[in-house]
Amino acid sequence: MTPQKSLSTRAWAELGLLALIWGGSFLSVHIALKEVPVLTSVAHRTGWAMLVLWGVVLAMRLPIPHDPRVWGAFLVMGLLNNVIPFALMAWGQLHIEVGLTSILNATTAVFGVIVAAIVFADERLSARKLVGVTLGFLGVATAIGLNQFANLDLRSVAQLAVLLGTLSYAFASAWARLTLSGLAPQVAAAGMLTGSTLIILPAALLIDGPIQFDLMAQTWGAILYYAVIATAGAYLLYYRVLGMAGSGNLMLVTLLIPPVSIVLGWAVLGEALSPRAYIGFALLALGMVVLDGWVWAWFRSAK
């Protein structure tokens, strides 16, 4: 039997840090979109992050791949993991509630586990994994508010756009493991963002027009956060966790992002946490424990 990928304590810690970083990205994207068009906001995100990461690669004197097949893989990865989901979700945030966007984004974990089970022998879809993902998703939905589902209309183009973005993330995670897992994380992330920028920059110039740089300070702050921290820095963690835990487990980060957003809303904006948020956190924690499998292993060993 093929050994199954699992989450170590270190992988869990880095997954939590990744969720904390990405948890603030919804707010920063929302701020930037008040002044910057959708495709231009994506171009800012991938372009500045690309420059930062190539700086890291050069500073560390890491070998740069020359194989055209690797650069082709970078283009595909950039399309699947950046261009498609960033653009669809940014546009979707203009038309639907942030809470609903977060719930829909959490389906990435579900799609990720399913896609990984189809593609990889060591990430098969077990009953435990299905139960854990389901509990985690219910926890996210409860923390944000189940009443949000009253607004869910699959005929809504914006909601479909967010769902398609999550599906693209799931395929990207599997593609990364198939084609980029042998590269240093810094090189893989820089190459992916180069592919993204080569695709999105011409599209932004064609559709949005020339990029404007005379932006408000808060807009630049939002751009720098989601480009440098939530993209360049986060993707270094992304590839590390991918190598340690596998693509299906990596997608579990999307179950942790909405609760982080709720806490940030309380801490930064003074928003009160409702009782349902704590219930949601409890369900989410239970789902994470089930997915990790240590309770089940302990139960079997105690019998």
Side-chain angles (χ1 to χ4, degrees):
M1 183 179 294
T2 305
Q4 298 299 293
K5 288 283 188 178
S6 61
L7 282 163
S8 64
T9 301
R10 181 174 180 177
W12 271 117
E14 295 194 7
L15 198 70
L17 178 58
L18 191 58
L20 184 63
I21 292 171
W22 274 340
S25 65
F26 284 103
L27 178 60
S28 62
V29 169
H30 178 77
I31 292 171
L33 287 175
K34 292 181 179 179
E35 193 176 4
V36 178
V38 171
L39 295 184
T40 300
S41 73
V42 178
H44 274 299
R45 184 170 189 172
T46 63
W48 297 117
M50 174 192 70
L51 294 176
V52 170
L53 285 176
W54 279 123
V56 172
V57 169
L58 293 175
M60 296 181 67
R61 297 184 179 181
L62 296 172
I64 298 174
H66 299 288
D67 189 340
R69 291 173 296 181
V70 174
W71 285 95
F74 285 154
L75 276 172
V76 175
M77 186 62 181
L79 181 67
L80 291 175
N81 206 54
N82 295 152
V83 175
I84 292 175
F86 285 177
L88 289 177
M89 291 186 177
W91 181 81
Q93 280 187 253
L94 293 174
H95 302 283
I96 61 177
E97 300 87 346
V98 171
L100 183 56
T101 304
S102 298
I103 290 175
L104 295 176
N105 183 63
T107 62
T108 304
V110 179
F111 289 138
V113 167
I114 294 171
V115 170
I118 293 171
V119 177
F120 303 112
D122 61 352
E123 296 194 53
R124 67 177 183 269
L125 194 63
S126 64
R128 175 181 59 79
K129 194 171 288 188
L130 275 174
V131 171
V133 169
T134 301
L135 284 170
F137 184 81
L138 287 174
V140 171
T142 303
I144 294 173
L146 289 173
N147 61 314
Q148 291 282 352
F149 283 115
N151 298 320
L152 180 58
D153 181 0
L154 292 179
R155 292 171 297 179
S156 164
V157 177
Q159 294 169 19
L160 284 173
V162 175
L163 284 172
L164 287 173
T166 66
L167 182 60
S168 188
Y169 276 139
F171 280 110
S173 183
W175 177 260
R177 187 181 169 197
L178 282 171
T179 63
L180 304 178
S181 57
L183 297 173
Q186 299 86 347
V187 175
M192 173 191 67
L193 287 162
T194 301
S196 307
T197 304
L198 289 174
I199 295 170
I200 196 63
L201 185 57
L205 292 172
L206 180 65
I207 296 172
D208 294 343
I211 295 177
Q212 303 298 318
F213 293 94
D214 55 337
L215 305 173
M216 294 187 296
Q218 65 179 15
T219 303
W220 273 118
I223 289 172
L224 289 175
Y225 177 82
Y226 71 60
V228 177
I229 298 175
T231 303
Y235 277 135
L236 295 178
L237 279 174
Y238 175 96
Y239 282 102
R240 282 172 55 86
V241 178
L242 177 68
M244 287 188 289
S247 61
N249 288 326
L250 174 61
M251 289 298 94
L252 300 175
V253 69
T254 59
L255 295 175
L256 300 174
I257 291 172
V260 170
S261 299
I262 291 172
V263 172
L264 287 176
W266 166 74
V268 177
L269 304 176
E271 298 174 347
L273 282 174
S274 64
R276 70 169 183 264
Y278 296 101
I279 297 173
F281 284 137
L283 283 171
L284 180 60
L286 179 61
M288 296 298 101
V289 168
V290 171
L291 282 164
D292 193 37
W294 69 269
V295 169
W296 175 248
W298 174 84
F299 177 76
R300 291 185 64 181
S301 65
K303 290 178 65 176

